Every structure is written in C-alpha cells, then in structure tokens.
Amino acid sequence: MIFRTALALALTALLATPVLAEETAPQEAAIIENFVLDNGLEVVVIPDHRAPIVSHMVWYKVGSADEPPGKSGIAHFLEHLMFKGTAKHPAGELDRVIAEIGGSGNAFTSSDVTAYFQVVPPDALATMMDFESDRMRGLILTADVIGAERDVVLEERRMRTDGSPQALLQEEVNATLFQNHPYRIPTIGWLHEIEQLNRADAAEFYERYYEPNNAVLVVAGDVDPETVRVLAEATYGKVPRGPTLPPRIRPTEPEQNTQRTVTLSDPRVGIPSFGKSWIVPNYRTAEPGEAEALDLLSEILGGGTRSRLYQEVIVKSGIGASAGATYDGGAYDPSAFALYGAPQAGHTLADVETAIDAQLTLLIKDGVTQRELDSAKARYVRSLIFARDAQFNMANIYGSELALGGTVADITEWPDRIRAVTAEQIQAVAAKYLDPSIAVTSYLLPPETGAQ
Amino acid sequence: MIRLPSLRRPVAAIATLLLLVAPAYAEVQFQQITSPKGIDAWLVEDYSVPLVTIRFALEGGTTQDPEGKEGLAGLITSLFDEGAGDLDSEAFQIKLDDAGAEMAFTADADAVYGSMRMLADQRDEALGLLKLAIEEPRFDQNPIDRMRAQIVASITASAQDPGTEAQLRWAEALYGEHPYARRGEGTPETLAGITADDLRAFHKAIFARGNLHVGIVGAMDAETAAQTLDLLFGALPEQPTLTPVPNMTPEFGKELRVNYDLPQTAIYMAYPSIERTDPAFFAAYLMNEILGGDSILSRLTAEVREKRGLTYGIGSSLLTMKHTQALIIGTATRADRAAETLALTEEVIARLAADGPTEAELASAKKYVIGSYAINELGSSGAIANTLVGLQLRGLGIDYIAERADEINAVTVADVKAIAARLLSAKPTVLMLGPQAKATP
C-alpha cells in the first residue's frame, strides 16, 4: 500500500462543509456511518451520490508480515486463489457477473492487509455482498487449480520484481533495513519459496484469518447507510464468528546501530542513483505528534517542487536530476523514512549524496521556517479535499485505516493533529530518527561505475 | 520505501491502451456551453465536492515538433508552471501553491493537454494563474536548462534498458518515416538545439481557439463557466498554424527480435484496425473485447493465463490515433515458454478470425462495454473532464453518448465475425524482447 499517500489523503470528512456553504447548490456533507455486526464484522459506509457507482471492499487484517516462516508469498497466493470458487459460486462466476454489469474488480495484498473489491452499479451491491460473504468462509481449494495459479504468481514476480533492477534493489534494501521484523520479506514472496507453496499452506492460512471478526467492510457510493446495513446483515451477517485471533505482535527490530550499504550494478541502469533509509515510528506506534511531524518533515524536505531538496539540490545548485523523500507512516509496525537522488549530467552520484546529506544536516541544525511549515500543512489539508473527488480513494482511505487498527475518528481528527505540529517538533524528529551514521544506503549503478 | 501491494492481475494489461468513448449516464449531465466570445466547451456541474477541474486539449502534439527539434512539445509542457507574465518561476510556483491549485500540462502525439484542479473558494486566484500560463509563459533560460537537463537525465537513465530499444524499434517498424515513429521526448541532441524562441514559436502556433477542446467539471454554473472560457482562452488567436500530418497505415507482417538476458520474454503483436468513423467500428470494438479486452473473461486471458498459467497478464486494445490505428496485443512469459505462448496466442486469434464469437460471448461483451462506461469514465472529476475532452477530440457530438448503447446493441455475431476475418487474418508485426535463444528448443 502506498500508505503515505493514503494518510495524506485521509483528512476528508469534516473539511467540506464550510467551503460548501457559499456554493449555489450545496448538498449535505457526507455522514460516514460506522457499525459492527454481531459476528464482529466492522462496517463503514461513505455516501457519495455524484454518479451511479458503488465501491464495495472487504479488508482482512492479515498481510505478508503475518506469514509463517518459510512460506513467504502465501498471503498473496491465497488472494489469487480466492477467485477459484465455492460450493455456491463456481470459479469464474464472480468475474462473469461483474463483467456483465460492466463493473470492475480486483484484489491486493500488502505487508499488513489483504483486500478484495468491486466497483459496480448500486443495484448490484447485494449480489457482490452475496459473493464476497460466501467466499469469506466457503472457498473450495482443489489441487487442480493450484499449479496454474502458482505459475501466474511466478510470472507476476518475474514481471514486477525480477525484471526491474529498481524493484530488485528495493527488495534487498528492505531485507537489509529490517533485521528482524517480517517487513524484510517481500509481499509477493521469495522466488524459491513461492515455488514450494501448496494447497495445504493456502488452506491453513485461509482458515486462520478469513473470518468476519478479522475483517472490515467498506461501502462507498450511491447508497444509503440503512440499505447497506440491511444488505450486510442478510449476507455477511450470516457468516459465523471465528475464533478470536491473538494480537498481531510481530518480531520487533533490535537496536539499529550500524551503517549498511546495498549495491546493485545492472547493465540496464543508465544513470546511477542512491537512497538512504531509516526505520522510524508510524501513526500507530509513535509518541503523540511524532508521526505527524515525520509526515510534514518528509513534505518539507522532499515532497515536491517546493521542497528543500528540489529547490536546493535541483534548482539552485543544479547537481541533482531528481531528489526527494518518502515516509510510510501508515504501516502497522514501524517502517521507513527515505531520502533519494540522482545526478544531472556533469555531476557525480557522490555530489548528489553530499548535497542531500548537507540539507538534512542543515535541517537538523536549524529547523524549518514557519512559512515552510504553514505551506506544508496547507498542502496536506488540501489533499484531503481533493481526495474526496474519487470515490474509490475514499473507500481505500477508510478501509486501510480501520484494517490497521485505527478508527474513523483518527481520520477525521487527523487534519487538526497535522495543524498542531510545531517547527520544533519537526526539527526534533529529524534529529532523533534520521541519524546518518545508522542509515541503510543503497546504490543502483551502471555496471562500469563500480562501488562508490 | 513504499511497499507496493501485489495485485491479483495487472490494472491495464498492456501499455498502449487508449480511451474509447461511451454512453449515457442520466445522472451525470453533460452540458454544451458557448462563451460570449464564441468558445465552445462541455460542462458537468456538480457541487458535492468543493472543487473545480478544467481540462483542455490543443490539437497538435509531438507530431508538430520541427524536424531536428524533437522533444519540443514535451519540453514546453514542463515549463508552463515555470514562470508567466511578471512572475518568474519561483514567484509563480509560490502563488500556485498558495492558491491551492494543481496545474499539469502534457503532450502526446496528437495534442497538448492542460489541466487544473482547484478548490472552489480559491478559484479566482487559481484561474488567474492558469490564464497567465496559457497566455504569457515566459520560457526563461534557467528553467529551460533545468527542465531540459531533467528530460535528458530520464532519457539517459532508460538508454541502456532493452525495453527502450524495443520500443524504438517497434515504433520504427510500425510507422516507418511517419512522425509517429519519432521519439516523443526527443534525444539529448535534439533537445540541446531547442531555444526559447523555438518554444515561443511553438506556443504561438499551437495555442489557438480553432484547435481547442475544453471540459469543465465541478462547482461552477454554466454562466461562470462561459466567462471562464473567455478569461482563459479569449485572448488566444483564432486559428493555429499546424503542420499537416498525413494519415498512414502501419506496416504489418514484420518480425523483430531484441535479444537480452531477462527473466521474461515480452511479446507484442500489431494487427490492422479500423478508423473511428468506419461503420464497423463497434463490431471491431466488441471483437477486441472478446479477444483480449478489459474483462478477465477474454479469450486470451482464459486460455493463456487462467488455463495454463503462462503469464500474469495478456490483453489486446484498439490503438486509435488521429492519423492511424492498430490492434495491439501484449504479454510476457518466462523465456522457455515464449514460443508456446506466441503459438497459443496466434491460435486463439486464428480461431476468432475463422469462426467469429458465440452469441453468448457477444451478449456478454455488449453488457460489459455499455455498463462499464460510468465506472471507467466517470469515477472522479478528473476522469469526467478527460472523457469530455476525449469525446470532442474524436469529433463525437454531445448527443453521441446517448446513441452509443444503441449502436453497440445493433452489432450482430455476423458483423463481428466479418470484422474478425478482415482484421485478424492479416499477418501481424511481432516483437519479442528477451532471451530468445532459449525460446526455441
């Protein structure tokens, strides 16, 4: 999941009303309904009546970081196998029904969650709920579907990871940055472990995690909450509650106390680039205000053309062709903050790295200006209004937040928490977490360049 | 350090997809408006989110780059937020940021596109900046040099990638000497020769009211929208100065091989297609849907992916450009099964060419292409604005939307069989990129 974006977009709900007031034909700002069925399934309804479309998503609170050792890729493989049919609906029927109504459907797996979704006309919602609730417990996995689908997943890995030097390096950076936490393992799985995944592995994973009390249902679109409640009770409501799962406590990281370097040379690389990563707290685990400060730090340091890295390293000194920062504050467990860059012609990779390091050092030393802070906050708050424009985004924002253990209030209160961040807090988190002497640095190099 | 999710299947099966147009949605009202100065546009009024999105297209894209100055259209689109009127680059960007607006310009082969998404309550400031960018871009040397350096860096970055070589050879094989064969982003050499005067001349030639198409979506009434048209575009010249681009037919029946030690072999195939104005267009559109379209039920996905696990994705699409068209198929598989995958794909195609579709397949494809319109084309203001402009670029009237479903429903099995026989019996141009040596036993 691109969690940073999801969180940046997460503001939505409360911002609309004052702005709407001066428009000619305002509607009521959408009221987001949130309730829990008797079997433990959490439900979120986000009304949006602009077009006759409804987004229906089921999020399971399980991802690749919950996999048993040696079974990397099983969460994602099972996601594929979820389309292989039940006693009531044989394989292919869901796809056929969706296609016939002109809908679309897909599914995805991340380290922390697995989600299934359809975007359909509102009168198909009941049918989608019927299918989705049926396969929550009713999946039938026969041996004959396993081989071909595992081959599909292997091709997926070859296409998306093995065929891309950038993706391969990123995989190795994660495996180096995380020394103990399962975020070190790729969501799609290691090739040699995917090859060994079997029906029993998938069935065991399914039995354990796919149950209403480990899921969140999100319905966004041209429907009213009462209808959703009635439909949900008639479908999902009939699925029996499963055993209560133990808390998601994963192996945690030891103290990070070394500088590590990961280098990949590949003949396909035309210009070198580098990245520098740290493990930092996230919204779920941070001290109050720290995750918000890290989000704004990422924006001010490297979040676009007004950022320091862009202005100083690309515009003013002309050393970099690219430079920026990312922060994944929405993961379930602490994850990464990263800086990256590549040189313009006439400059070396070392020049860019030095220039970016210097900007970080300067920020740690002198902090940020009030003007930078105000602009960054305004951009965050604005992005949430923009996010309301795409119904599926809204479903995504709420689904991921709740599946990761957050609440609707966390999303609605988020703008105020962003607004409360001070310049001092930003300087403090930079100094506390972005210590250059313990970073993992990665280099993607043309073959002849060698190590820097 | 963003861990991307793994998806069950690719979002778009192949890269060369094009937006095709589609039918009615009673709930989304398309209005045709004309400004006091006579500028036409389409509008969708919607107040549920306090936003306004404007998108426009100016016909004449990278095919208008002068010989030896390839990359000009691409470069110019990177410079509209780099200074306009009295505002230099920094001043312009600060004002744009303060106005809470997002502005974007892009170019493809046939048009230059601009768009702005703005908050309704900061609309006037945002529109003022867009007007300035459209009318009086500065093209200062410093931003020119910087943006050129970034484009050159991206060309250099991909120069060693076998995919880049494959793309260049593919374009050359299909389009020969036609401007469509050129590299849209240019080359380091052609970019080096582009001056501020070239940019000014391009701007003057392309930015006119006669080749302009506009879509407006959001919190704006028809009268305000009409005034906005004059504000933004009223000062532009009446007619553009476009270099004529000839229509052409791609070259089929060629075979290309790019050998490279990769984990997969990518396979691309190009077959003939038909013009948007051909009466058989919807028969071809439905044929493509049945063969390898968006739905996972297509024959290619069923045979190549679902039954045999040969690929993560395979798809076909109709590539309908202003001056040419083709049916493109794309997939990737592990090298030792590439020959098998190609043979199977050709077999699926040959069967459709020989026998046409079944009644059930056609009925299902019709339902899909009619029903998917709202979801594919109207999912957000940006998508709606894109659709509005796309319809106008293809010369389709505002009433066309209501007629589309009827035209689709009128297509018969015999129609699809006839067009399949006509298009799919041709020998395709095929490109294979990967470790070919291992592909043949």
Side-chain angles (χ1 to χ4, degrees):
Chain A
M1 307 288 311
I2 303 175
F3 282 115
R4 184 179 168 277
T5 312
L7 269 173
L9 299 176
L11 277 206
T12 67
L14 294 183
L15 295 166
T17 319
V19 186
L20 273 173
E22 64 187 44
E23 291 303 329
T24 51
Q27 297 181 357
E28 290 293 308
I31 308 279
I32 289 157
E33 293 266 344
N34 181 203
F35 51 90
V36 181
L37 301 187
D38 289 344
N39 60 11
L41 178 72
E42 186 163 10
V43 184
V44 181
V45 187
I46 308 161
D48 170 25
H49 301 292
R50 290 173 298 158
I53 302 171
V54 61
S55 301
H56 171 243
M57 304 188 88
V58 172
W59 296 70
Y60 292 96
K61 299 174 191 177
V62 63
S64 57
D66 302 299
E67 292 165 343
K71 303 290 181 188
S72 68
I74 192 64
H76 171 251
F77 185 37
L78 172 62
E79 175 221 309
H80 279 240
L81 294 172
M82 280 290 282
F83 292 82
K84 297 303 180 187
T86 65
K88 194 172 157 190
H89 298 297
E93 198 185 317
L94 173 60
D95 288 320
R96 186 180 58 73
V97 170
I98 293 172
E100 291 213 336
I101 54 182
S104 67
N106 211 333
F108 58 83
T109 307
S110 76
S111 309
D112 299 315
V113 296
T114 310
Y116 301 82
F117 63 87
Q118 301 90 33
V119 185
V120 294
D123 59 8
L125 179 61
T127 307
M128 295 301 112
M129 286 186 165
D130 173 51
F131 272 95
E132 203 60 84
S133 60
D134 174 49
R135 66 176 172 173
M136 185 175 270
R137 298 301 289 168
L139 182 68
I140 295 174
L141 279 179
T142 58
D144 62 329
V145 301
I146 298 290
E149 199 61 36
R150 189 174 48 217
D151 284 346
V152 168
V153 173
L154 287 164
E155 292 304 330
E156 180 180 354
R157 189 190 149 93
R158 287 188 187 102
M159 171 173 275
R160 296 173 55 153
T161 307
D162 300 311
S164 159
Q166 289 79 6
L168 273 177
L169 179 63
Q170 190 58 57
E171 192 169 270
E172 297 299 328
V173 168
N174 288 338
T176 306
L177 179 64
F178 295 96
Q179 298 173 302
N180 196 40
H181 191 282
Y183 285 166
R184 58 185 284 101
I185 298 165
T187 291
I188 196 162
W190 300 114
L191 188 78
H192 67 288
E193 290 190 350
I194 303 173
E195 283 170 341
Q196 302 300 320
L197 295 176
N198 58 42
R199 200 201 71 84
D201 297 329
E204 200 178 305
F205 200 81
Y206 174 72
E207 285 304 320
R208 183 173 165 83
Y209 292 108
Y210 282 56
E211 53 182 35
N213 39 318
N214 194 43
V216 178
L217 167 68
V218 184
V219 179
D222 192 12
V223 287
D224 67 89
E226 200 40 47
T227 305
V228 172
R229 183 192 290 268
V230 170
L231 294 175
E233 275 172 358
T235 52
Y236 294 99
K238 301 285 197 294
V239 181
R241 177 189 282 270
T244 301
L245 287 160
R248 298 172 87 179
I249 300 169
R250 280 115 168 218
T252 53
E253 281 299 299
E255 186 188 352
Q256 299 256 330
N257 44 21
T258 56
Q259 219 178 114
R260 283 153 278 156
T261 303
V262 185
T263 305
L264 177 67
S265 294
D266 189 290
R268 287 170 284 174
V269 175
I271 50 174
S273 58
F274 89 101
K276 195 161 274 191
S277 307
W278 298 264
I279 295 179
V280 298
N282 62 357
Y283 274 85
R284 201 178 67 86
T285 63
E287 301 287 324
E290 282 198 335
E292 293 83 352
L294 284 162
D295 250 333
L296 290 170
L297 171 65
S298 161
E299 178 69 28
I300 290 168
L301 197 53
T305 57
R306 299 303 314 151
S307 71
R308 286 203 183 182
L309 292 184
Y310 192 92
Q311 286 299 317
E312 299 297 328
V313 179
I314 298 174
V315 177
K316 290 190 187 143
S317 68
I319 294 170
S322 65
T326 62
Y327 168 52
D328 179 8
Y332 190 78
D333 288 320
S335 61
F337 191 107
L339 304 178
Y340 59 87
Q344 272 191 36
H347 295 275
T348 66
L349 186 56
D351 294 340
V352 182
E353 187 174 354
T354 305
I356 290 177
D357 285 348
Q359 287 303 317
L360 175 60
T361 305
L362 191 69
L363 193 144
I364 290 172
K365 184 169 151 281
D366 295 339
V368 302
T369 68
Q370 193 59 39
R371 164 86 189 167
E372 284 177 310
L373 182 58
D374 291 343
S375 294
K377 288 178 180 177
R379 278 197 287 277
Y380 263 77
V381 173
R382 176 204 316 161
S383 72
L384 293 192
I385 301 177
F386 285 150
R388 290 187 59 209
D389 190 37
Q391 180 187 105
F392 189 71
N393 272 355
M394 293 290 284
N396 241 325
I397 289 165
Y398 281 87
S400 69
E401 181 68 25
L402 295 177
L404 290 165
T407 64
V408 170
D410 287 337
I411 297 172
T412 48
E413 289 162 9
W414 190 72
D416 285 338
R417 298 211 311 271
I418 284 283
R419 288 190 189 104
V421 174
T422 64
E424 291 71 31
Q425 281 175 299
I426 292 176
Q427 188 176 7
V429 291
K432 183 171 169 187
Y433 295 112
L434 307 189
D435 178 350
S437 70
I438 56 158
V440 171
T441 307
S442 60
Y443 297 104
L444 186 61
L445 305 174
E448 68 275 20
T449 309
Q452 292 281 300
Chain B
M1 290 288 283
I2 285 160
R3 294 183 306 278
L4 287 169
S6 282
L7 279 161
R8 177 192 173 214
R9 58 194 175 97
V11 173
I14 53 176
T16 48
L17 297 172
L18 101 141
L19 280 177
L20 278 162
V21 285
Y25 252 97
E27 292 83 349
V28 180
Q29 280 296 336
F30 289 22
Q31 303 176 54
Q32 185 144 24
I33 58 169
T34 303
S35 76
K37 289 186 183 171
I39 301 169
D40 293 324
W42 294 2
L43 167 71
V44 171
E45 264 185 89
D46 176 75
Y47 298 93
S48 47
V49 180
L51 298 178
V52 178
T53 300
I54 290 185
R55 182 170 168 85
F56 57 92
L58 296 148
E59 288 181 53
T62 60
T63 58
Q64 298 297 312
D65 287 349
E67 195 86 39
K69 307 256 184 193
E70 289 83 3
L72 179 53
L75 180 61
I76 205 171
T77 60
S78 70
L79 291 165
F80 287 103
D81 64 349
E82 292 282 350
D86 295 338
L87 304 171
D88 68 8
S89 167
E90 181 158 31
F92 189 91
Q93 291 189 2
I94 288 171
K95 273 190 179 282
L96 189 64
D97 192 36
D98 288 346
E102 293 173 353
M103 192 170 103
F105 283 79
T106 57
D108 65 16
D110 295 324
V112 172
Y113 304 87
S115 66
M116 181 176 263
R117 188 159 74 150
M118 66 207 95
L119 301 172
D121 65 344
Q122 287 182 280
R123 190 176 71 196
D124 292 347
E125 297 150 73
L127 287 172
L129 290 164
L130 182 58
K131 172 190 172 66
L132 214 53
I134 290 168
E135 274 180 18
E136 297 178 64
R138 284 165 63 109
F139 306 126
D140 290 335
Q141 196 58 42
N142 191 309
I144 292 175
D145 291 341
R146 173 161 41 86
M147 298 320 295
R148 173 165 40 211
Q150 289 189 20
I151 297 168
V152 169
S154 106
I155 293 169
T156 311
S158 63
Q160 309 305 317
D161 190 313
T164 305
E165 186 195 338
Q167 271 172 24
L168 294 174
R169 287 187 52 192
W170 177 246
E172 193 186 318
L174 289 176
Y175 304 128
E177 299 291 307
H178 192 275
Y180 282 156
R182 294 196 218 154
R183 200 174 178 175
E185 69 268 42
T187 67
E189 294 72 34
T190 62
L191 285 161
I194 295 172
T195 65
D197 284 342
D198 294 325
L199 291 159
R200 285 187 199 103
F202 189 92
H203 175 255
K204 201 173 160 208
I206 304 288
F207 277 66
R209 287 150 59 176
N211 59 331
L212 172 70
H213 305 286
V214 189
I216 302 177
V217 182
M220 188 181 271
D221 62 41
E223 197 188 326
T224 313
Q227 287 160 5
T228 300
L229 292 174
D230 282 352
L231 171 82
L232 294 176
F233 307 109
L236 293 180
E238 195 62 41
Q239 288 304 326
T241 316
L242 297 178
T243 307
V245 177
N247 291 340
M248 63 93 60
T249 305
E251 289 199 41
F252 300 103
K254 291 185 162 185
E255 286 194 22
L256 307 169
R257 295 281 184 274
V258 178
N259 285 295
Y260 206 98
D261 188 21
L262 296 169
Q264 281 187 321
T265 295
I267 302 168
Y268 295 93
M269 306 166 86
Y271 283 87
S273 182
I274 60 174
E275 290 177 26
R276 180 62 198 79
T277 49
D278 191 304
F281 179 78
F282 278 116
Y285 188 55
L286 289 161
M287 177 201 81
N288 176 68
E289 194 56 44
I290 292 162
L291 177 65
D294 292 337
S295 159
I296 199 167
L297 305 177
S298 76
R299 285 190 181 190
L300 287 174
T301 297
E303 294 296 326
V304 182
R305 174 180 149 139
E306 295 296 306
K307 283 189 196 159
R308 294 175 184 81
L310 286 167
T311 186
Y312 177 48
I314 183 164
S316 67
S317 64
L318 298 182
L319 178 69
T320 307
M321 299 168 80
K322 191 170 170 63
H323 302 288
T324 198
Q325 58 280 324
L327 188 158
I328 310 285
I329 293 161
T331 190
T333 187
R334 65 184 223 232
D336 62 350
R337 298 185 79 176
E340 177 191 354
T341 301
L342 178 62
L344 177 64
T345 302
E346 287 181 325
E347 188 189 313
V348 170
I349 291 166
R351 205 165 63 233
L352 187 60
D355 304 337
T358 66
E359 284 286 356
E361 276 178 316
L362 180 60
S364 169
K366 284 178 178 178
K367 284 184 192 167
Y368 176 77
V369 300
I370 291 170
S372 62
Y373 177 68
I375 287 156
N376 293 343
E377 309 287 322
L378 305 177
S380 65
S381 300
I384 296 171
N386 207 40
T387 299
L388 296 179
V389 171
L391 289 170
Q392 294 173 60
L393 273 173
R394 287 173 182 81
L396 300 166
I398 202 160
D399 296 334
Y400 162 81
I401 294 158
E403 294 155 10
R404 178 178 180 269
D406 291 341
E407 287 192 50
I408 288 166
N409 280 324
V411 174
T412 65
V413 166
D415 294 337
V416 177
K417 189 176 172 185
I419 198 72
R422 181 174 144 198
L423 301 179
L424 301 180
S425 302
K427 201 166 157 24
T429 287
V430 178
L431 166 70
M432 293 180 80
L433 161 65
Q436 308 308 325
K438 294 186 211 157
T440 22

